[in-house]
Amino acid sequence: MKTLMLSTAIALAAGSAGAQELTLQLKWVTQAQFAGYYVAKDKGFYEEEGLDVTILPGGPDIAPTQVLAGGGADVIVEWMPAALAAREKGLPLVNIAQPFKASGMMLTCLKESGITDPKTDFKGKTLGVWFSGNEYPFLSWMSQLGLSTEGGPDGVTVLKQGFNVDPLLQKQAACISTMTYNEYGQVLDAGIAPDDLVTFKYEDQGVATLEDGLYVLESTLEDDAMVTDLVKFVRASMKGWKYAEETPEEAAQIVLDNDETGAQTLDHQVRMVTEIGKLTAGSNGTLDEADYQRTVDTLMAGGSDPVISKAPEGAFNHIITDRAFD
Amino acid sequence: MSALPVIALWLGALALNTWLSGFDTRATRLAVALIFGATILILWEMIVRIYAIPPVILPAPSQIGASFAANTAILWTDFVQTILKGALTGWLIGALAAVLTAIVIDRSPFLQRGLLPIGNFVAALPIVGIAPILVMWFGFDWQSKAAVVVVMVFFPILVNMVAGLAATDPMQRDLMATWAAPYGASLWKLRLPAAMPFLFNGLKITTTLALIGAIVAEFFGSPTKGMGFRSSTAVGRLDLPLVWGEILVAAIAGSLFYGIVALIEKKVTFWHPSQRRQRG
């Protein structure tokens, strides 16, 4: 409390000149997947740190990496595979914090498709996959299983899944990509019983990659003032995340208040916040290097077509989290 | 300071073209266009290099060219999938349906009052609304893209064709009547030929619509090939030169498509005043 008052006092002293502005680009639309940031904003955690944070929702046509490269944001929420691939493409992204400990990604299959074991049963099947940077974990997994993604009897046929679960409901695909906290619930909402589904979590298959980390450009970390702001930002964001874990209902309502599209419902967001809480629970914001290494190994195990061709260097930096949580 | 060569080149090319346009011959007309295009490309290359613009924002023409050359196999597969299978099939089906519907509407005032408003309604449907539904109905492959194109091109051709069928003078129709021409003969010999300029107007407008429709429809579910699929996924992979390669393919295909239709129009409506050439 004392530090809080102190930092508020400092913020007020400095704040007369206006709070430090910071722009965060989300990976997807406003939803409980980003509850921590919305909670931190609405509960005043950013304000206490003397920050004025603008949260930009993403969407199917927004690539956060591109927004960052174009100067449209200071910090982005991105999945590590896409970030590392972008880094290899010459965009120097650096992970500064990792609020998500676990991956929420899974393949959800209809039981009637007869798939029980990924090692033997995917052959000749059609699988729905998201692209725009989300395809990397899937491609790594398939290459580890030794399956071609070009179709045919010995490979799998990949269809580019839209941002819905229709291909499974229409039986256009045997399995589709789902997140534990979002699309899986949509499948259940569509009236398919959990007993009629088989799910394969990437975590359980040993091919999980880190999701929803915070990334900035390398050049940002050379600017001392920006580093100070990012330290405050990460500290306040993690406070928001822990608050969301403890009070899912309130967090869901905060997300709903921030959703300008009006597309989300409270029930759905409460469920999402609860599922997201399971993924953030194991992290205080600091990137676990073992998790990082596992992600890199998964991506490099891509056989003939690895997502990244060489082990990245300098792709993460503890400077922010070290200063935020000491 | 570094802007000097850019400005100098631009002014130089401008002066050259201004001087060339003084001679109005076929060769200079072509040269003016070529110099203009080349200048744009050279300036683009210079600006990207001088100001070190990251390729993620805008790749240089040389990078795009290199990516185009390196990915010809991918670009060809995408071209066949999106343009030949999706856009062209949809455009042909849509055009045929629109022409037949126009003839039916033309015969019956009742349908004219009923069908045209419905056509209007369909024309106003946003592609982002119908594309996912059609993907659901027709599956992920090119068939659903063709269906989107049919919906997009149908109405502009229909409206043009209906206007075209009404384009004859009462005097001409009376003349057919005095020869006791049945409906079919008067349609075939008088009204369809008279409608051709209108029809081709609709066909030319819809060539580009068909391309856009087929490409955008792929955003809503597709197999792992096609120009829309590639563009949207390559952006996610920050492979912007490949995206521009696809844009280049779309531009070339669109120009060719339009050009071919315009050429056929020239042959079919040679009698129309708009086709008379001035001798230059």
Side-chain angles (χ1 to χ4, degrees):
Chain A
M1 196 66 212
K2 210 176 212 167
T3 51
L4 196 152
M5 280 166 70
L6 194 67
S7 62
T8 313
I10 293 168
L12 283 174
S16 53
Q20 290 297 323
E21 288 182 7
L22 204 70
T23 306
L24 168 72
Q25 172 68 57
L26 301 179
K27 183 167 169 57
W28 196 244
V29 296
T30 301
Q31 57 180 20
Q33 180 183 356
F34 312 106
Y37 308 109
Y38 285 112
V39 167
K41 190 174 165 72
D42 278 27
K43 283 277 162 196
F45 300 162
Y46 290 139
E47 217 174 319
E48 286 163 17
E49 294 275 10
L51 294 176
D52 173 14
V53 177
T54 308
I55 301 178
L56 301 174
D61 50 357
I62 295 172
T65 45
Q66 212 187 355
V67 175
L68 191 67
D74 301 308
V75 56
I76 57 171
V77 175
E78 185 52 282
W79 289 8
M80 191 170 271
L84 293 180
R87 193 178 167 82
E88 194 158 279
K89 278 265 189 304
L91 185 71
L93 289 177
V94 184
N95 178 304
I96 55 164
Q98 186 60 43
F100 279 46
K101 172 75 179 168
S103 152
M105 206 174 176
M106 54 186 191
L107 270 186
T108 297
C109 309
L110 287 169
K111 197 166 237 172
E112 66 190 53
S113 66
I115 295 173
T116 52
D117 181 5
K119 287 187 181 61
T120 53
D121 299 344
F122 280 156
K123 251 180 215 168
K125 296 282 194 294
T126 300
L127 311 176
V129 179
W130 295 310
F131 280 80
S132 309
N134 299 2
E135 68 271 38
Y136 298 123
F138 173 84
L139 295 175
S140 296
W141 186 18
M142 289 303 124
S143 62
Q144 287 189 31
L145 291 173
L147 291 168
S148 147
T149 50
E150 297 297 318
D154 290 334
V156 292
T157 302
V158 174
L159 60 81
K160 184 192 169 197
Q161 193 180 325
F163 311 102
N164 55 44
V165 297
D166 294 346
L168 194 73
L169 309 179
Q170 306 278 333
K171 310 209 168 150
Q172 289 170 328
C175 310
I176 56 166
S177 301
T178 53
M179 301 307 285
T180 50
Y181 48 83
N182 192 8
E183 288 79 7
Y184 182 69
Q186 289 176 18
V187 174
L188 300 183
D189 287 346
I192 301 184
D195 291 341
D196 296 329
L197 297 168
V198 188
T199 57
F200 302 105
K201 286 189 182 176
Y202 280 60
E203 284 284 355
D204 302 342
Q205 300 298 324
V207 288
T209 49
L210 286 170
E211 291 158 13
D212 290 53
L214 292 169
Y215 293 83
V216 297
L217 288 173
E218 236 162 53
S219 55
T220 310
L221 294 178
E222 288 157 15
D223 176 351
D224 282 344
M226 269 308 282
V227 169
T228 310
D229 287 346
L230 287 170
V231 167
K232 294 171 178 174
F233 169 77
V234 168
R235 191 161 45 215
S237 298
M238 285 318 295
K239 201 170 159 185
W241 275 119
K242 296 308 152 191
Y243 191 94
E245 280 168 32
E246 285 154 21
T247 50
E249 273 83 10
E250 190 186 348
Q253 189 55 54
I254 286 175
V255 170
L256 221 53
D257 294 342
N258 279 283
D259 175 34
E260 286 166 11
T261 63
Q264 310 290 8
T265 63
L266 188 61
D267 290 350
H268 183 53
Q269 292 306 303
V270 170
R271 184 166 64 191
M272 198 186 288
V273 142
T274 312
E275 286 294 332
I276 289 280
K278 297 176 187 170
L279 306 181
T280 54
S283 172
N284 70 349
T286 309
L287 173 76
D288 180 340
E289 289 186 34
D291 292 342
Y292 165 83
Q293 200 50 51
R294 193 195 57 210
T295 299
V296 171
D297 293 344
T298 301
L299 295 177
M300 298 216 3
S304 59
D305 190 18
V307 174
I308 48 175
S309 54
K310 54 186 187 296
E313 282 174 25
F316 65 89
N317 195 324
H318 286 316
I319 178 173
I320 305 289
T321 43
D322 286 350
R323 281 179 53 186
F325 307 120
D326 60 0
Chain B
M1 216 54 238
S2 53
L4 269 181
V6 174
I7 294 168
L9 179 79
W10 172 59
L11 289 175
L14 182 67
L16 179 64
N17 260 357
T18 315
W19 176 72
L20 273 175
S21 60
F23 315 88
D24 195 22
T25 68
R26 202 184 161 86
T28 55
R29 276 203 297 267
L30 190 66
V32 166
L34 284 177
I35 291 168
F36 175 77
T39 310
I40 296 276
L41 286 179
I42 295 165
L43 286 179
W44 176 355
E45 184 83 28
M46 280 168 84
I47 289 167
V48 168
R49 282 175 189 237
I50 290 172
Y51 295 105
I53 296 170
V56 175
I57 303 298
L58 183 69
S62 56
Q63 284 176 302
I64 296 168
S67 168
F68 188 91
N71 293 310
T72 41
I74 291 180
L75 292 169
W76 175 252
T77 313
D78 293 347
F79 169 80
V80 169
Q81 170 77 10
T82 305
I83 310 267
L84 298 187
K85 288 180 178 167
L88 202 59
T89 315
W91 183 76
L92 288 170
I93 296 172
L96 196 66
V99 169
L100 293 177
T101 313
I103 291 170
V104 171
I105 285 180
D106 178 67
R107 279 217 77 165
S108 135
F110 168 74
L111 288 180
Q112 204 161 0
R113 284 198 291 271
L115 267 184
L116 268 183
I118 292 179
N120 234 326
F121 169 77
V122 171
L125 290 176
I127 184 173
V128 290
I130 56 168
I133 296 170
L134 291 172
V135 166
M136 239 185 266
W137 290 357
F138 295 101
F140 271 82
D141 215 346
W142 61 268
Q143 290 85 347
S144 59
K145 317 305 173 269
V148 170
V149 173
V150 168
V151 174
M152 282 185 81
V153 305
F154 178 79
F155 184 74
I157 299 177
L158 176 74
V159 170
N160 273 289
M161 193 66 195
V162 168
L165 287 171
T168 45
D169 296 345
M171 186 72 86
Q172 295 166 324
R173 290 198 293 272
D174 286 350
L175 188 58
M176 290 307 261
T178 53
W179 288 328
Y183 172 81
S186 123
L187 180 73
W188 188 247
K189 292 203 159 61
L190 169 69
R191 301 178 61 224
L192 278 181
M196 283 303 133
F198 290 85
L199 172 65
F200 275 99
N201 188 27
L203 291 179
K204 281 193 296 192
I205 292 169
T206 49
T207 52
T208 42
L209 271 184
L211 295 195
I212 295 167
I215 291 171
V216 172
E218 286 180 356
F219 293 1
F220 300 93
S222 69
T224 48
K225 58 187 180 190
M227 294 165 74
F229 164 81
R230 197 80 55 196
S231 314
S232 60
T233 55
V235 168
R237 296 178 178 190
L238 292 183
D239 191 352
L240 272 292
L242 181 59
V243 177
W244 281 89
E246 294 283 2
I247 292 171
L248 185 61
V249 171
I252 294 170
S255 308
L256 276 177
F257 195 1
Y258 185 93
I260 290 167
V261 173
L263 205 66
I264 297 171
E265 175 184 33
K266 221 177 186 163
K267 295 272 179 275
V268 172
T269 64
F270 58 90
W271 47 268
H272 194 262
S274 68
Q275 299 297 337
R276 287 178 202 149
R277 286 259 151 220
Q278 283 138 347
R279 305 254 167 251

